[in-house]
């Protein structure tokens, strides 16, 4: 792993680079559109944007196999899209329509999809970690070489559930990949104001879990680290912990006045925007041309426009169905 | 105390043994089933319920956990999603408060939040109740409190049949089922049919029939209530005794059918009086049988005090047979 | 909507501002008081309640915490024991489930377990309630559920007076007081006397008087209930509207006095129907006024479903004015 | 600190040695008597004996000042006695009598004493740690140089509350002394079956808290380490963590069949019994004579006999008082 961090991953080929770029762009534009729709009150509730962190979902999730599982947080549109859940289904969900991936019952914070083993969409900070441990336990007990990737923010590190879950995963040698997206803030609380030990990887290592900090603004670094980690996990090496160092460019949610950080700091980080960083690098290496990006933009725009239309045209669940899905509907024998 | 329903051959055993039999059967018959919790393995279970099971099933399936209630209950949810049929033992209801986030915010909501995609076939067992002088942090009776939460089911086996038979049905249920075993029942001895097996987890049961009052209870209070019914009989008052068996859902039909007939009711439960499950039952009877009642509904609950250690105080805090008898007698006197 | 009781000079402000004023006053007047919780400082409070307070009081007294609900609620208990007067803000009731062990097993029991030696003068504030499309994990209304626990007090300020005045009294109380602020009220605007100050934290208040039915409610449902009373009036039905203000203890006297007069009652609360505080109130009325009631007691609660995100479903799940009116009208029709 | 561990503490003088020995003996005999009274059903509920661990309470608690605070667990008779709560009051408590330190409402697991700032007696594993953090926070905010000593077993290390509390204490630089009594088992669960990282001190150190393992069977080592730690804490150095390595000679509680450990292991540890270990050492060094111990034994026996008599003769609270002490009793103004 340390080799990888020094040598750096290989340059991707054109198709690969375009796919990565498209992955990030789709999330970026989707999120920008969501913000717009929120101000139009088409999307309601809490909305947490992933802008700035796209390299992580786009880089890491592509490494997973279809049979692997994902557990995420309320800031999970990016992960959902990267996993291949359609923009249609995610957008419709945020519109509260039946065509949404959770029937409109979940909203922005609760994207779920059985087909891609996407287990949410958990709005309790730290709440997804025990779930991921359990999914991995089930795989281990059933001798399946599947991986469960669990995404969470660095704010979750302070929660008791983090501690208990990492210990369980390590103690039982379970196939969990812990992906901590360290964007330096939990709402308005900076990491150094919430942790006595700010080196998150070091904390994870205290459970005897291999743990590395990774540049989360570099999609190739993310992918490369994830590959190595996933391989180790799949081969039965037990849990792995990756700390992706990143930054959210937008407010925590749509209600945040951002009193807790300097504009300067935001601007400095924006200079490391993962999308231009990657595209510029690909231009420089001659792998991708600016025209390609323009084409991707058009393509992505189309996909999102269609998603918005799909969501607009979606239907509302009949009010009479209010009490459904509290318990499983069984067809009587 | 408890006796077999059927006619066939019977045998004598304890409530503890009945639970263990149910666990062993479930593990034997379904590879997906496993038991996980603090000290279920090496130690043999805090209440010796799982004693010997480690030897038969091995440590993968009789899985000792660290003291991490939230994580291992959550891991149970995850394992259920992953195709297993976990039985999570939370040693006692008192410690389940540490896992409440996972139970209320995840187990109970996941199916709904996912628009019906992800069922959580999880079974959680826990010991509940006072009466052993374990004081304020170890004597809660919170099963009625849990019954407030939509998305989970709450069952309270009080008889050997139910101790033996509810687990199986709970495991077949696609949704989270919490099984509350009253600590005072583990040593209860009784007979059970040789072929005793699965029983429904829903539906109350009328254990004794009478004309004058409906005594409605569950779990640890059932035997006190049966004793009270016996005492009442000698005073010429005959009582229905209803074992609720399930607190969520409540079996309105059985409750209402009985009370409609007796026109008087006493609810007995070990929860603290304010906001206990008895209040809900009183509310439902009031809603449905207002015009038919002949007396105010009575309830006998625990005193509103953290459980004191001293024996005489604990006894005074818990529902007692004389209190039940007195409450039932009050329903017999006419006019206000 | 809300208006000042007295005659003196008044001013206009929001519920949020009233809470903030109360906080500032408490911190100014007593060095032992401090505010601690997630994002109360730098961020200004999740609901902007404590905005600006960091600047005035500094980071020791407006203390941002890590995401560690159990530890910082427990630290609040310890700090209270150590002579401070902590106000712990748990961002919302939803996350308080992570701290429930500290609340139920320690804050509520310590005085009793220590034989009366250690009082816990702790104040915990939390936002509660649905109505903002925050879905199943962020919309709980559990204040009525908390009211089951002896050893703590539960208050639910619904008016500007109470938002402004209950905190002070809670801080003077020697025992743990949980203050539930309904999220839908923060933007509520109204007038308040210039000199508004401390108000009792116990005792219900009759906000409107009538003859035909008692509408009993608290917190976020108060304004819906007042609206319903208005609507009922135009149908010729006059109603008492009772703001419970405190859910533990409940003010039986005020409730019973009203119902004794109107002989009919509707309870409105945002908890899930089964086991909600309404059940307890119905039980108490039934126990005390059985012979005096003219109609079954009605309740309007939340549907028994984890809160759906979609707006129309959330609206359908929560108590509504038409439902309250309909329930009240049902109490007016005679016979069964 | 490491110096101390290598060089070893100075030899105590006679009075000092006798006091330490008496402290341990009092606990040992008190616990033995309690076991006896439990089988006689004079003591009820759960009873957790401290036998084998006496050197920790006796060695550590003597270091504290009267104004310091103590938080303990359900296995706390030893700590209570070491703190100077009378054997009378503890015994009467276990008899459920009003003369007990908690009026008989608490029992064996809930010894409390305001006079000595003994904050219990917590029967929720890990539940005392946040409390200790809060007590220390109060001291810090009020500029008092008091120390809060928080005792707990190694089983608590797996709890989320451990993690959250250590982080808070370190983050806020609070005067807490965390005293982990590592007796290798949590009920029947051996440490290596519950922690991926079995070096408990290493775990604590991951919060940036100075942490040392100490021989918990050596009363002098315990005292010496505690002194240094308490000094550091009192001087504003923030929290400190001591892991006392020890063993419980008896079953977890009176209900434990001890299926989870070998008799041999117990016997091996018993050879390190802190009481004979210390007295032999003192004999060898000529500090204390065997006759002294005999005298102490008689003295302690007398104290315990008196305590039992006191408890026997104690009174029961009137049943009419059942509902007292749920809320503070205030004399109306
Ligand atoms: C248990 C819990 N406490 C508090 C909150 C409120 N909250 C929502 S997001 C958040 C910050 C989380 O920060 P982090 O884990 O770093 O993730 P990020 O938002 O930065 O992606 C907080 C405090 C919550 N959802 N759950
Ligand atoms: C939260 C919680 N879970 C479970 C228990 C049951 N229990 C009581 S003591 C104990 C073992 C604790 O071991 P440890 O912390 O090592 O302390 P020791 O008993 O060895 O002194 C357990 C599991 C409890 N009291 N609290
Ligand atoms: Mg963050
Ligand atoms: Mg131990």
């Amino acid at each position: 792993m340390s080799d990888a961090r020094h040598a750096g991953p290989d340059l991707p080929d054109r198709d690969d680079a375009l796919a990565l770029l498209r992955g990030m762009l789709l999330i970026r534009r989707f999120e920008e559109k969501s913000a717009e729709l929120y101000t139009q009150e088409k999307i309601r509730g809490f909305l947490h944007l992933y802008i700035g962190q796209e390299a992580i979902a786009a880089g890491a999730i592509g490494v997973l196999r279809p049979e692997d599982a994902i557990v995420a947080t309320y800031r999970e549109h990016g992960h959902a899209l990267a996993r291949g859940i359609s923009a249609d289904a995610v957008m419709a969900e945020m519109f509260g329509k039946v065509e949404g991936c959770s029937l409109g019952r979940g909203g922005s914070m609760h994207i779920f999809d059985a087909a891609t083993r996407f287990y949410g969409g958990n709005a309790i900070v730290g709440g997804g970690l025990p779930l991921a441990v359990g999914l991995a336990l089930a795989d281990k007990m059933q001798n399946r070489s599947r991986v469960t990737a669990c995404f969470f923010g660095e704010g979750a590190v302070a929660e008791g559930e983090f501690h208990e879950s990492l210990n369980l995963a390590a103690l039982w040698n379970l196939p969990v990949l812990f992906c901590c997206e360290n964007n330096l803030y939990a709402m308005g609380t900076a990491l150094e104001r919430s942790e006595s030990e700010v080196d998150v990887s070091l904390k994870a290592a205290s459970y005897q879990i291999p743990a590395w900090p990774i540049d989360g603004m570099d999609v190739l670094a993310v992918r490369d680290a994830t590959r190595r980690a996933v391989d180790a996990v799949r081969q039965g090496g037990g849990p792995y912990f990756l700390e992706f160092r990143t930054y959210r460019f937008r407010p925590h949610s749509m209600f945040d006045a951002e009193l807790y950080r300097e504009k300067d700091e935001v601007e400095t980080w924006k200079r490391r925007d993962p999308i231009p960083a990657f595209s510029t690098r690909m231009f420089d290496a001659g792998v991708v041309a600016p025209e390609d990006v323009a084409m991707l933009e058009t393509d992505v725009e189309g996909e999102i426009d269609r998603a918005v239309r799909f969501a607009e045209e979606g239907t509302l669940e009949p009010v009479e169905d209010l009490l459904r899905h509290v318990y499983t509907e069984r067809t009587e024998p | 105390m408890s006796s077999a329903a059927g006619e066939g051959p019977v045998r004598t055993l304890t409530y503890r043994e009945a639970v263990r039999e149910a666990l062993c059967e479930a593990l034997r018959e379904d590879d997906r089933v496993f038991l996980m919790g603090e000290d279920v393995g090496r130690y043999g279970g805090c209440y010796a319920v799982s004693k010997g099971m480690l030897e038969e099933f091995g440590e993968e399936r009789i899985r000792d956990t660290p003291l991490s209630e939230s994580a291992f209950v959550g891991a149970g949810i995850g394992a259920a999603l992953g195709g297993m049929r976990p039985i999570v033992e939370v040693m006692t209801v008192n410690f389940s408060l540490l896992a409440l986030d996972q139970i209320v915010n995840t187990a109970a909501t996941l199916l709904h939040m996912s628009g019906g995609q992800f069922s959580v076939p999880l079974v959680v067992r826990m010991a509940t109740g006072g009466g052993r002088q374990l004081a304020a942090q170890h004597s809660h009776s919170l099963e009625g409190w849990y019954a407030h939460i939509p998305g989970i089911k709450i069952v309270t086996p009080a008889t050997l049949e139910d101790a033996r038979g509810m687990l199986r049905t709970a495991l077949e249920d696609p949704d989270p089922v919490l099984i509350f075993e009253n600590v005072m029942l583990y040593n209860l001895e009784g007979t059970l049919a040789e072929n005793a097996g699965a029983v429904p987890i829903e539906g109350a049961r009328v254990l004794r029939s009478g004309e004058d009052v409906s005594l409605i209870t569950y779990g640890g209070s059932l035997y006190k209530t049966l004793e009270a019914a016996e005492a009442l009989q000698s005073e010429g008052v005959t009582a229905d005794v209803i074992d609720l068996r399930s607190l969520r859902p409540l079996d309105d039909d059985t409750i209402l059918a009985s009370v409609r007939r007796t026109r008087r009711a006493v609810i007995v439960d070990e929860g603290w009086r304010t906001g206990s499950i008895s209040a809900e039952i009183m509310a439902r009877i009031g809603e449905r049988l207002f015009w038919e009642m002949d007396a105010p509904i009575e309830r006998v609950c625990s005193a509103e005090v953290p459980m004191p250690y001293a024996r005489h105080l604990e006894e005074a805090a818990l529902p007692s047979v004389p209190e039940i008898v007195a409450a039932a007698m009050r329903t017999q006197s006419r006019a206000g």
Side-chain angles (χ1 to χ4, degrees), chain A, chain B:
Chain A
M1 175 62 66
S2 51
D3 281 353
R5 289 195 299 149
H6 294 295
D10 292 341
L11 215 58
D13 65 20
R14 185 183 138 85
D15 282 355
D16 187 12
L18 287 177
L20 284 171
L21 203 47
R22 191 184 192 285
M24 292 193 285
L25 271 177
L26 177 66
I27 300 174
R28 175 69 54 94
R29 302 298 169 236
F30 184 92
E31 294 293 63
E32 287 167 351
K33 176 59 77 179
S34 298
E36 201 184 307
L37 292 163
Y38 194 87
T39 60
Q40 291 168 25
E41 305 198 351
K42 303 276 187 182
I43 299 174
R44 308 292 300 242
F46 281 158
L47 178 69
H48 307 87
L49 302 178
Y50 197 60
I51 293 176
Q53 305 182 206
E54 296 90 340
I56 300 166
I61 290 178
V63 170
L64 300 176
R65 297 189 187 157
E67 68 267 27
D68 293 337
I70 294 175
V71 174
T73 72
Y74 49 85
R75 195 183 299 288
E76 88 287 34
H77 314 154
H79 308 80
L81 296 172
R83 185 56 171 172
I85 305 178
S86 74
D88 288 4
V90 180
M91 191 59 84
E93 184 58 34
M94 296 199 290
F95 274 61
K97 301 291 177 74
V98 195
E99 292 78 6
C101 52
S102 307
L103 288 185
R105 299 225 170 201
S108 161
M109 302 198 288
H110 303 301
I111 305 296
F112 284 87
D113 184 49
T116 59
R117 302 199 70 222
F118 196 87
Y119 290 96
N122 196 313
I124 302 298
V125 172
L129 278 83
L131 207 75
V133 168
L135 284 162
L137 176 60
D139 284 334
K140 182 157 194 220
M141 291 185 80
Q142 291 168 100
N143 295 312
R144 290 185 296 231
S145 64
R146 309 198 297 200
V147 173
T148 297
C150 179
F151 293 85
F152 54 95
E154 88 297 336
V157 172
E159 289 283 1
E161 292 188 335
F162 168 89
H163 174 70
E164 296 184 359
S165 299
L166 263 70
N167 182 45
L168 268 196
L171 183 69
W172 292 345
N173 205 46
L174 302 180
V176 188
L177 175 62
F178 292 104
C179 298
C180 178
E181 304 193 37
N182 179 358
N183 62 11
L184 298 176
Y185 292 92
M187 287 186 59
T189 303
L191 181 58
E192 70 269 17
R193 300 176 43 75
S194 69
E195 288 293 334
S196 58
E197 168 60 72
V198 292
D199 188 332
V200 171
S201 308
L202 216 67
K203 283 191 84 81
S206 81
Y207 302 90
Q208 300 253 15
I209 298 179
W212 297 102
I214 306 294
D215 179 358
M217 305 309 263
D218 178 347
V219 68
L220 294 180
V222 168
R223 185 169 69 172
D224 192 59
T226 307
R227 257 189 204 141
R228 287 160 189 265
V230 164
D231 283 352
V233 173
R234 201 182 305 282
Q235 277 155 37
Y240 215 101
F241 189 100
L242 296 175
E243 175 200 352
F244 296 112
R245 298 194 168 162
T246 185
Y247 201 78
R248 84 173 136 66
F249 294 171
R250 297 292 185 102
H252 168 73
S253 71
M254 306 302 283
F255 293 105
D256 171 8
E258 287 187 276
L259 305 170
Y260 49 84
R261 62 183 189 182
E262 300 294 329
K263 280 238 159 56
D264 267 10
E265 182 184 287
V266 182
E267 289 314 311
T268 308
W269 274 93
K270 280 192 177 163
R271 271 178 246 133
R272 296 182 54 200
D273 189 328
I275 300 178
F278 181 65
S279 56
T280 307
R281 201 161 138 203
M282 293 301 103
F283 299 160
D284 293 351
V287 176
V288 163
E291 305 79 67
D292 294 326
V293 178
M295 255 184 46
L296 286 183
E297 287 279 15
T298 316
D299 184 35
V300 159
E301 199 186 309
E303 181 167 346
I304 291 169
D305 285 349
R306 282 191 301 280
V308 176
R309 211 156 39 237
F310 178 80
E312 292 274 15
E313 289 167 3
T315 44
L316 295 176
E317 214 179 344
V319 174
E320 304 78 67
D321 287 356
L322 175 63
L323 296 182
R324 289 184 61 187
H325 308 305
V326 181
Y327 297 97
T328 304
E329 293 172 5
R330 289 194 274 185
T331 41
E332 289 305 320
Chain B
M1 261 203 197
S2 181
S3 74
E7 295 290 284
V10 298
R11 64 228 159 86
T12 301
L13 80 177
T14 63
Y15 183 98
R16 172 185 293 107
E17 286 161 346
V19 176
R20 186 186 305 137
E21 252 188 34
L23 288 167
C24 288
E25 181 187 75
L27 268 91
R28 270 180 217 130
E29 298 195 354
D30 187 343
D31 281 347
R32 302 170 306 169
V33 175
F34 67 105
L35 176 67
M36 153 163 84
E38 289 159 14
D39 289 304
V40 296
R42 293 283 185 290
Y43 191 91
C46 179
Y47 292 101
V49 167
S50 51
K51 202 162 151 182
M53 289 181 65
L54 176 66
E55 289 67 34
E56 178 173 352
F57 300 104
E59 61 182 33
E60 285 281 302
R61 301 184 68 202
I62 305 296
R63 186 173 284 266
D64 279 324
T65 64
L67 279 143
S68 304
E69 287 79 3
S70 197
F72 71 72
V73 169
I77 299 170
L81 290 171
M84 300 296 287
R85 289 292 176 274
I87 303 169
V88 175
E89 176 175 316
V90 177
M91 197 180 275
T92 77
V93 66
N94 312 286
F95 318 140
S96 75
L97 297 178
L98 288 160
L100 211 73
D101 167 61
Q102 287 295 325
I103 296 171
V104 175
N105 281 326
T106 303
T109 60
L110 215 96
L111 177 70
H112 184 262
M113 295 193 302
S114 67
Q117 289 180 85
F118 291 114
S119 298
V120 181
L122 168 72
V123 172
V124 180
R125 294 174 43 238
M126 39 188 142
T128 186
R132 300 188 46 166
Q133 287 192 254
L134 301 183
Q137 295 182 323
H138 272 60
S139 306
H140 299 317
S141 294
L142 296 176
E143 52 280 1
W145 203 48
Y146 270 103
H148 180 52
I149 310 298
I152 56 177
K153 300 183 179 178
I154 306 296
V155 304
T156 55
T159 61
L160 294 189
E161 287 79 4
D162 285 349
R164 177 68 182 79
M166 277 182 153
L167 179 74
R168 179 65 165 273
T169 313
L171 282 165
E172 276 159 17
D173 199 284
D175 299 314
V177 179
L178 275 57
I179 305 181
F180 288 83
E181 298 162 7
N182 188 289
V183 285
M184 300 304 282
L185 297 180
Y186 285 125
N187 290 330
L188 174 76
E189 220 175 59
T191 56
L192 195 59
E194 279 299 348
N195 62 352
V199 298
I201 56 169
E202 293 183 13
R205 203 169 135 209
V206 182
L207 286 188
R208 181 184 174 115
S209 293
E211 297 302 320
D212 307 315
V213 61
S214 300
L215 306 180
I216 302 167
T217 189
Y218 71 88
S221 306
L222 177 60
Y223 300 96
K224 292 178 189 172
T225 306
L226 285 166
E227 232 184 280
E230 198 61 40
L232 285 165
Q233 174 109 43
S234 62
E235 310 241 1
V237 174
T238 67
D240 266 9
V241 175
I242 297 179
D243 174 7
L244 291 168
R245 299 181 67 252
S246 163
L247 302 190
R248 187 176 188 97
L250 280 171
D251 178 357
D252 288 342
D253 290 348
T254 302
I255 297 170
L256 297 174
S258 168
V259 178
R260 188 171 284 120
R261 200 161 38 71
T262 64
R263 308 173 79 95
R264 297 171 195 91
V266 178
I267 332 277
V268 184
D269 88 272
E270 218 184 285
W272 289 303
R273 185 182 185 91
T274 295
S276 76
I277 190 78
S278 61
E280 176 61 28
I281 297 168
M282 291 163 83
R284 292 189 184 194
I285 297 174
E287 283 167 336
R288 307 281 293 278
L289 301 179
F290 177 79
W291 304 105
E292 284 149 85
M293 297 304 289
D294 278 351
I297 308 168
E298 295 275 341
R299 55 179 159 170
V300 180
C301 302
S302 278
E304 309 224 25
V305 57
M307 196 61 79
Y309 162 71
R311 182 181 205 148
H312 64 299
L313 295 180
E314 179 173 53
E315 274 171 6
L318 291 168
S320 69
V321 175
E323 284 175 298
I324 302 168
V325 171
M329 292 308 292
R330 281 195 299 276
T331 66
Q332 303 301 306
S333 55
R334 293 281 157 151

